[in-house]
């Protein structure tokens, strides 16, 4: 069977669309961004507890007093985690994506129910949309719309479309044919038959489809955090990449709160809008026992008044505090170099990238810029830089690790020079391990280390080099077993061994914060089995030098020693999740004069 280059055809198609229909993607981007920003502004404007009260009133109207109390408690918990803005951004994305999906899915479902040919054409298309791995939808989204909420929104619409279409078609097809025939016999027009007979009877099934659309949208929005969609998806993704158990649990619980609220509210909405649902609710209420106050649900007018009152209070509070962001203004001569210009900094979750990005965020703010920091995977970040949607990133490992991105986007990027190098891969031992200073010294001492070398992920490039080259070069391949784990597990095992003063040999690399936290020895490699090290560069968009000449000049002279970088990384590690900027500020304040050295101001 000859090789079918379907992937190449897809790349050519995407390239052609980018070239010839870029104006269309710009229009779509503008419209969808406006919709998202509008909804997010409404949901994010009130104080968190006031907005939680509004959502609780909606729950009271739809389900009763106890669900309202639980709603308020759930969203108050999200606020206590410090994830309120992220949760409202996610809710905004879900609502906008679900609205767009339903505006397309319901008419398509009606059309498919009334035409077998249309149903036959839609079925395989919906199969592809529903079974294609969700991550795949992010690729063309990033290519057409760059990073941000819009690729995630587009991918969410595609991913959540099938249940909306299928459930609408199923609901209408399940309506008793005799009822439709009777309506036709009495002279009812096809439109009235649809709106007065089929849709009301199919509404419970259609609402079930609405519920599934919203749930799938929420799941996809979280995945879209990988492409810079923000919200809880970004928080979950950051926790996963950093193996942050606490952050993962908190952001995961916030997603659970949103999911349960949306699921219960859409389910209860069916009882409000469907005749069959209202009948079932009335029957259940008459048979229910217990406190009547818990079952009481206010009328629409009362609920509306409650929402309006809380919204007015929130608006009044916003007006009262407008115009004062509470931050002191630095009026020192020459400090306001940036004059309020925005600059977009991207990073992927590698320790040195996090450290330098937040260090420069503080420095740039001191110089009058307004840096916006966003975490992304390397692929989306380099794509965003090439498209001019991001301005700068500090962690390009060259010439090897990120060679593929520089080969692809090199003419659309600006290399601002190396700030650290050379990097190195190595095996390390605690400094209390005597008589082991190089890889040659490990020979014949496997019993001292339990016959193992503690490694990281088996897929990591350095693990392949260690097993295939380093151990063989020094005659260690039959004496030591390399134990694959994860970076977090390796560091935990290293920390445990040091606390017990036990011998241990682990994989490590420079730069790494472990060298600032622990007293470690890098085992020398006299035979050069690990190969040559790389340099870490700052890379900007193509016109970075033109748009930010002062910053370009600063970065050309930017250097950090291994000692300084390690201490900065340790400070950020000790500061904890979500405190990276504050931790970098503490480190910068502890090194007086460094900011003026890295970003000198001409008077």
């Amino acid at each position: 069977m000859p090789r079918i280059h379907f992937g190449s055809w897809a790349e050519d198609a995407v390239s052609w669309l980018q070239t010839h229909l870029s104006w269309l993607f710009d229009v779509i981007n503008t419209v969808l961004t406006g919709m998202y920003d509008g909804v997010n502004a409404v949901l994010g404007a009130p104080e968190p507890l006031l907005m939680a009260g509004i959502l609780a009133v909606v729950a009271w109207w739809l389900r009763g007093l106890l669900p309202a109390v639980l709603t308020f408690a759930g969203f108050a918990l999200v606020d206590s985690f410090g994830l309120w803005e992220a949760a409202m951004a996610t809710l905004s994305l879900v609502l906008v994506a679900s609205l767009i999906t339903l505006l397309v899915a319901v008419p398509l479902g009606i059309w498919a129910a009334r035409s077998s040919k249309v149903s036959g054409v839609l079925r395989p298309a919906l199969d592809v949309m529903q079974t294609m791995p969700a991550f795949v939808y992010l690729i063309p989204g990033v290519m057409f719309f760059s990073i941000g909420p819009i690729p995630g929104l587009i991918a969410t619409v595609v991913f959540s479309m099938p249940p909306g279409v299928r459930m609408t078609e199923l609901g209408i097809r399940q309506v008793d044919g005799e009822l439709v025939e009777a309506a036709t016999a009495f002279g009812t027009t096809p439109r009235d038959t649809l709106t007065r007979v089929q849709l009301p009877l199919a509404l419970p099934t259609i609402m079930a489809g609405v519920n599934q659309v919203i749930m799938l949208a929420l799941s996809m929005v979280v995945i879209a955090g990988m492409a810079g969609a923000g919200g809880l998806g970004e928080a979950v993704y950051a926790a996963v990449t950093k193996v942050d158990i606490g952050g993962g649990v908190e952001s995961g619980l916030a997603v659970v709160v949103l999911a349960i609220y949306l699921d219960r509210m859409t389910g209860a909405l069916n009882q409000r809008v469907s005749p069959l649902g209202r009948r079932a609710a009335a029957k259940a209420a008459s048979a229910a026992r217990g406190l009547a106050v818990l079952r009481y649900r206010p009328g629409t007018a009362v609920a509306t008044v409650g929402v309006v009152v809380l919204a007015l209070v929130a608006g009044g509070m916003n007006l009262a505090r407008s115009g004062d962001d509470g931050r002191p203004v630095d009026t020192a001569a020459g400090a306001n170099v940036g004059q309020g210009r925005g600059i977009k900094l991207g990073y992927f979750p590698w320790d040195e990238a996090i450290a330098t990005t937040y260090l420069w965020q503080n420095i740039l703010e001191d110089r009058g810029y307004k840096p916006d920091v966003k975490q992304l995977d390397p692929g989306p970040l380099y794509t965003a830089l090439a498209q001019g949607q991001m301005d700068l990133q500090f962690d390009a490992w060259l010439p090897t690790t990120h060679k593929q991105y520089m080969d692809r986007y090199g003419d659309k990027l600006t290399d601002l020079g190396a700030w650290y190098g050379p990097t190195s891969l190595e095996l390390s031992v605690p400094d209390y391990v005597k008589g082991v200073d190089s890889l040659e010294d490990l020979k014949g001492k496997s019993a001292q280390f339990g016959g193992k070398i503690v490694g990281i992920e088996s897929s990591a490039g350095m693990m392949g080099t260690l097993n295939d080259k380093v151990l063989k070069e020094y005659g260690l391949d039959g004496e030591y077993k390399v134990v694959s784990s994860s970076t977090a597990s390796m560091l935990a095992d290293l920390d445990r061994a040091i606390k017990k003063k036990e011998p241990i040999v682990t994989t490590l690399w420079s730069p790494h914060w472990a060298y600032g936290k622990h007293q470690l020895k890098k085992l020398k490699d006299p035979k050069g089995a690990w190969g040559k090290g790389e340099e870490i560069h700052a890379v900007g968009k193509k016109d970075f030098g033109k748009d930010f000449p002062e910053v370009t000049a600063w970065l050309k002279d930017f250097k950090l020693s291994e000692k300084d970088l390690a201490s900065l990384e340790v400070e950020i590690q000790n500061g904890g999740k979500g405190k990276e900027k504050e931790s970098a500020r503490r480190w910068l304040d502890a090194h007086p004069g460094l900011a003026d050295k890295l970003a000198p101001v001409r008077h």
Side-chain angles (χ1 to χ4, degrees), residues 307-343:
V307 170
V308 169
V309 169
L310 290 175
L312 289 175
V313 172
M317 294 179 66
N318 288 338
L319 288 175
R321 68 170 184 265
S322 63
D324 180 17
D325 60 6
R327 293 187 306 173
V329 178
D330 188 351
T331 56
N336 193 22
V337 176
Q339 299 180 348
R341 280 180 292 168
I343 181 170

Side-chain angles (χ1 to χ4, degrees), residues 438-446 474-480:
S438 80
L439 292 172
E440 293 176 326
D441 297 332
L442 290 174
K443 185 71 174 176
K445 298 180 180 178
S446 61
Y474 289 93
L476 305 174
D477 51 341
E479 185 177 356
Y480 288 85

Side-chain angles (χ1 to χ4, degrees), residues 78 95 130 143 155 175 191 205 258 355 417 432 439 454 473 486 504 511 555 601:
V78 172
L95 293 178
Q130 196 165 20
M143 297 302 296
V175 174
R191 176 181 297 179
T205 304
L258 271 184
Y432 55 75
L439 292 172
V454 181
E473 188 72 24
S486 67
I504 186 174
L555 293 178
V601 178

Side-chain angles (χ1 to χ4, degrees), residues 212-230:
Q212 290 303 302
V213 165
I214 293 175
M215 292 297 100
L216 287 176
L218 181 59
S219 67
M220 186 61 193
V221 162
V222 173
I223 295 174
M226 296 180 62

Side-chain angles (χ1 to χ4, degrees), residues 390-411:
M390 295 295 290
D391 294 316
L392 177 65
Q393 72 103 350
F394 291 93
D395 204 27
W397 286 55
L398 299 174
T400 304
T401 302
H402 292 153
K403 180 178 184 297
Q404 58 174 318
Y405 302 114
M406 297 304 291
D407 288 345
R408 183 171 185 177
Y409 299 120
D411 59 338

Side-chain angles (χ1 to χ4, degrees), residues 159-204:
F159 184 67
S160 60
M161 182 79 67
V165 178
R166 294 184 191 278
M167 296 298 280
T168 301
E169 179 184 0
L170 178 63
I172 294 176
R173 287 186 180 275
Q174 284 182 336
V175 174
D176 193 339
E178 293 183 357
L179 292 176
V180 177
E181 291 178 2
T184 303
F186 279 100
T188 306
T189 64
R191 176 181 297 179
D192 287 340
T193 300
L194 174 66
T195 58
R196 297 187 180 185
V197 178
Q198 292 174 303
L199 285 179
L201 294 175
L203 200 53

Side-chain angles (χ1 to χ4, degrees), residues 10-252:
E11 290 185 4
D12 292 340
V14 169
S15 178
W16 186 90
L17 290 172
Q18 285 181 303
T19 303
H20 295 87
L21 294 179
S22 60
W23 61 271
L24 178 60
F25 298 129
D26 291 341
V27 171
I28 294 174
N29 190 32
T30 301
V31 172
L32 294 183
T33 300
M35 293 176 63
Y36 168 77
D37 289 343
V39 175
N40 193 35
V42 171
L43 294 179
E47 288 292 325
L49 293 184
L50 279 174
M51 190 65 211
I54 293 174
L55 296 173
V57 169
V58 175
W60 190 19
W61 171 61
L62 288 173
R63 293 189 61 89
L65 182 59
L66 182 59
V69 173
L70 294 176
T71 293
F72 186 84
F75 282 103
L77 182 66
V78 172
D79 182 41
S80 72
F81 292 157
L83 294 171
W84 182 261
E85 291 184 4
M88 290 303 100
T90 295
L91 182 58
S92 301
L93 209 55
V94 169
L95 293 178
V96 173
S98 299
L99 175 62
I100 296 172
T101 301
L102 294 173
L103 288 176
V104 178
V106 172
L108 282 178
I110 294 172
W111 192 13
R114 298 168 72 93
S115 172
S116 297
K117 292 182 179 180
V118 173
S119 179
V121 172
L122 286 178
R123 189 175 298 115
L126 295 175
D127 290 340
V128 172
M129 294 165 67
Q130 196 165 20
T131 57
M132 181 73 72
F135 295 96
V136 176
Y137 295 127
L138 295 179
I139 299 174
V142 171
M143 297 302 296
F144 293 141
F145 303 102
S146 190
I147 59 170
I150 304 309
L153 196 153
I154 295 292
T156 301
V157 169
V158 176
F159 184 67
S160 60
M161 182 79 67
V165 178
R166 294 184 191 278
M167 296 298 280
T168 301
E169 179 184 0
L170 178 63
I172 294 176
R173 287 186 180 275
Q174 284 182 336
V175 174
D176 193 339
E178 293 183 357
L179 292 176
V180 177
E181 291 178 2
T184 303
F186 279 100
T188 306
T189 64
R191 176 181 297 179
D192 287 340
T193 300
L194 174 66
T195 58
R196 297 187 180 185
V197 178
Q198 292 174 303
L199 285 179
L201 294 175
L203 200 53
T205 304
I206 295 174
M207 289 302 298
V210 172
N211 178 274
Q212 290 303 302
V213 165
I214 293 175
M215 292 297 100
L216 287 176
L218 181 59
S219 67
M220 186 61 193
V221 162
V222 173
I223 295 174
M226 296 180 62
L232 293 174
E234 183 174 331
V236 171
Y237 174 57
V240 170
T241 54
K242 298 175 185 176
V243 198
D244 180 2
I245 297 175
V249 170
E250 290 179 355
S251 54

